[in-house]
Amino acid sequence: MRILLVEDEPRLSEALTYILKKNNYGVDTAYDGETGQAMAETGVYDLIILDRMLPRKEGVTLLKELRSQGIHTPVLLLTAKDSLQDRIEGLDAGADDYLVKPFSTEELLARLRALGRRPSGQIQDEQLNVAGLILKPLHCELTQGNETVKLTLKESLLLELFMRNPGQVITKEQILDRVWGLDTDVETNNVEIYVHYLRKKLNSPNVRIETVRGIGYCLKEEPNVP
Ligand code: CA
């Protein structure tokens, strides 16, 4: 699961990034509203944590513009204000939830999990199942038959992307955006290396990652294999 964090206070941004990564979320950061909006418009994020008071574009304005463009990524709005009027304004602008600073790590993580469970959001359950292959993205745990293995965060993000799109061809560029983030110098041969790692950990006879030459990869289900 990939989160976009738009927060201009460097220390808070750093602390949140640390907490989120420790809890197995992929994180990209923006420090002002305009950059945050440009990143959000790419549509690669599962969730956006958006500060209200931002330089260059205010959080609520940014949010209204995103929603008017049809971008419905769930948004958790962070704010220093706590009046009923502010809450209503934030929710009216299209925020899915609202968290008042200062907040505890536990509360933030609970809110993120709750947003992830909402059927209207793009995030689905915390457990993905494709042909008996079960992934818990927030735990980086893969279960096949009665065997459970730990994946690295990148392997888990990669498998999550495949399992949310079974049977679809995913390009190497899409994989780079979703797994490594937009702001990366990583090249596509890293994708090949991680697909190789992941294939070594997959031992289900019913699912395999097929190479689509020159383009990318596709998670194939083979339910008839005994
Ligand atoms: Ca701020």
Side-chain angles (χ1 to χ4, degrees):
M1 194 179 298
R2 207 152 190 100
I3 293 183
L4 171 62
L5 171 64
V6 191
E7 167 61 66
D8 60 311
E9 281 172 56
R11 284 175 65 187
L12 181 58
S13 175
E14 221 170 273
L16 289 177
T17 302
Y18 174 78
I19 291 162
L20 293 170
K21 286 189 171 163
K22 225 177 132 198
N23 284 277
N24 299 325
Y25 293 100
V27 189
D28 286 336
T29 50
Y31 294 92
D32 67 78
E34 278 179 13
T35 309
Q37 184 164 357
M39 290 169 81
E41 283 170 357
T42 62
V44 305
Y45 298 100
D46 300 298
L47 209 148
I48 299 168
I49 300 175
L50 179 64
D51 187 32
R52 236 191 115 130
M53 306 286 275
L54 289 168
R56 292 175 68 192
K57 188 172 278 187
E58 212 256 276
V60 169
T61 310
L62 186 168
L63 179 56
K64 279 183 188 159
E65 290 181 15
L66 278 186
R67 295 300 188 237
S68 72
Q69 291 169 40
I71 295 169
H72 298 293
T73 311
V75 168
L76 174 63
L77 202 61
L78 302 183
T79 181
K81 301 177 182 177
D82 185 22
S83 73
L84 184 62
Q85 185 54 40
D86 286 316
R87 273 169 201 257
I88 292 169
E89 199 191 343
L91 296 171
D92 274 353
D96 297 84
D97 203 356
Y98 196 94
L99 200 51
V100 178
K101 295 177 184 176
F103 48 82
S104 71
T105 303
E106 289 72 24
E107 187 169 16
L108 173 72
L109 294 172
R111 298 294 183 93
L112 294 178
R113 283 193 297 271
L115 280 177
R117 278 194 295 269
R118 287 199 187 168
S120 58
Q122 290 177 3
I123 303 167
Q124 291 152 34
D125 295 347
E126 289 175 286
Q127 182 167 309
L128 298 168
N129 186 337
V130 174
L133 200 69
I134 295 164
L135 176 70
K136 290 184 179 170
L138 292 183
H139 302 273
C140 296
E141 265 177 24
L142 170 66
T143 303
Q144 335 175 57
N146 46 21
E147 185 201 31
T148 296
V149 290
K150 266 287 194 201
L151 302 178
T152 66
L153 178 55
K154 291 230 176 346
E155 288 167 352
S156 179
L157 288 169
L158 179 59
L159 184 58
E160 182 185 357
L161 179 59
F162 282 127
M163 289 178 71
R164 288 193 194 282
N165 305 282
Q168 288 182 39
V169 177
I170 301 170
T171 68
K172 289 179 186 175
E173 287 72 25
Q174 285 170 327
I175 293 171
L176 274 183
D177 286 350
R178 295 297 299 244
V179 176
W180 277 267
L182 295 175
D183 187 24
T184 178
D185 296 328
V186 171
E187 297 190 3
T188 51
N189 58 4
N190 268 58
V191 173
E192 289 157 28
I193 292 165
Y194 272 84
V195 168
H196 172 76
Y197 290 156
L198 197 53
R199 278 177 174 151
K200 281 171 72 174
K201 290 191 177 174
L202 287 180
N203 59 19
S204 162
N206 301 327
V207 180
R208 66 192 165 88
I209 300 169
E210 207 175 81
T211 302
V212 183
R213 207 158 285 283
I215 301 173
Y217 302 93
C218 176
L219 188 73
K220 281 271 168 76
E221 292 175 57
E222 297 175 76
N224 296 326
V225 175

